[in-house]
Amino acid sequence: MNYLVSLEKAIDYIEQHLNEEIVSEDIAKAAGYSLYHLTRIFTATIGEPIGSYIQKRRLSDACKMLLHSDKRVLDIAI
């Protein structure tokens, strides 16, 4: 099976909904797998759980906003 295509779909879904509440089941549906199976292949391939990946991506975006915008820290945190 080609897991990379499914993982790419999962990551695309995460990127498109990064500023929203993300439900793991929705990511699995976008990738075409059950949540259990997606969790296993995501962790094995990416090297971290889905929730951890999402958290790091959000932190990365917040850092970029802190560096390249005039927004207050509180506004970015919210």
Side-chain angles (χ1 to χ4, degrees):
M1 295 189 159
N2 191 355
Y3 292 134
L4 296 180
V5 173
S6 296
L7 287 174
E8 188 174 308
K9 289 178 183 179
I11 291 172
D12 285 343
Y13 181 88
I14 291 168
E15 292 298 323
Q16 291 173 4
H17 298 90
L18 201 56
N19 295 324
E20 304 168 12
E21 181 179 347
I22 299 176
V23 180
S24 297
E25 287 83 4
D26 293 338
I27 300 170
K29 184 188 285 187
Y33 285 110
S34 68
L35 178 58
Y36 172 77
H37 195 63
L38 178 64
T39 302
R40 290 183 56 224
I41 63 173
F42 193 96
T43 303
T45 306
I46 304 298
E48 62 185 319
I50 295 171
S52 177
Y53 176 83
I54 293 170
Q55 184 178 31
K56 287 180 181 179
R57 282 293 299 119
R58 287 179 173 159
L59 284 171
S60 174
D61 279 358
C63 289
K64 287 179 188 175
M65 289 175 71
L66 285 170
L67 290 172
H68 303 292
S69 75
D70 294 331
K71 291 184 178 182
R72 299 181 311 158
V73 173
L74 183 61
D75 294 334
I76 293 172
I78 292 174

